[in-house]
Amino acid sequence: MKNLTQATLGLLFFTTALFAASARKEITLQTQKINEAVHWTPEKVEVAPGEKIKFIVKHDLEGGFDFHGFFIPVLKVSEQVNRHEPKIVEVTIPKSLKEGDYPIGCQFHPKHVQATLVVKKAAPKVK
Ligand SMILES: [Cu+2]
């Protein structure tokens, strides 16, 4: 019985470690209409160099454009997001990317208000 418990705990630890290694940080961005202009919101999202990100990008506004662009030049991301068709965009933030603010825009509509990708090194973990 004792051996079985140890084996179970070992397996649990193993699967937890495996999950942590493959986990991606999920960030949802969506179109929002503010004062007649379409924005990507939230207006700021924070990521760290080396981090694996899963962007979930949504356009659920009724009326106006049927699709918007999801454009992050620094990450070479350029996608089309159709209404009611959430787009999943998985990226790894390059380890070499400098801290700072980078635009998240729309390549189709010059008036589409950008959001900001804030790249910031993660605080060192306290052991
Ligand atoms: Cu747009």
Side-chain angles (χ1 to χ4, degrees), residues 34-54:
I34 304 170
N35 299 329
E36 298 305 304
V38 176
H39 293 236
W40 276 126
T41 62
E43 64 181 38
K44 278 185 182 187
V45 296
E46 198 174 305
V47 299
E51 200 168 34
K52 290 179 176 177
I53 309 293
K54 179 179 179 180

Side-chain angles (χ1 to χ4, degrees), residues 31 38 40 65 67-69 106-109 112:
T31 47
V38 176
W40 276 126
F65 296 111
F67 62 84
H68 287 279
C106 167
Q107 69 272 39
F108 300 117
H109 312 123
H112 191 137

Side-chain angles (χ1 to χ4, degrees), residues 51-121:
E51 200 168 34
K52 290 179 176 177
I53 309 293
K54 179 179 179 180
F55 287 108
I56 302 156
V57 193
K58 297 177 179 175
H59 169 43
D60 292 326
L61 290 176
E62 299 300 340
F65 296 111
D66 292 335
F67 62 84
H68 287 279
F70 184 64
F71 186 46
I72 313 177
V74 76
L75 299 178
K76 297 183 178 69
V77 169
S78 179
E79 297 283 347
Q80 179 174 326
V81 184
N82 299 323
R83 178 180 292 122
H84 303 321
E85 292 175 23
K87 188 127 221 174
I88 307 293
V89 181
E90 295 190 328
V91 292
T92 300
I93 308 299
K95 280 189 176 148
S96 59
L97 190 59
K98 283 189 185 138
E99 290 193 12
D101 292 354
Y102 300 91
I104 300 174
C106 167
Q107 69 272 39
F108 300 117
H109 312 123
K111 289 184 179 167
H112 191 137
V113 180
Q114 298 179 335
T116 302
L117 182 79
V118 180
V119 176
K120 213 173 165 182
K121 284 194 184 117

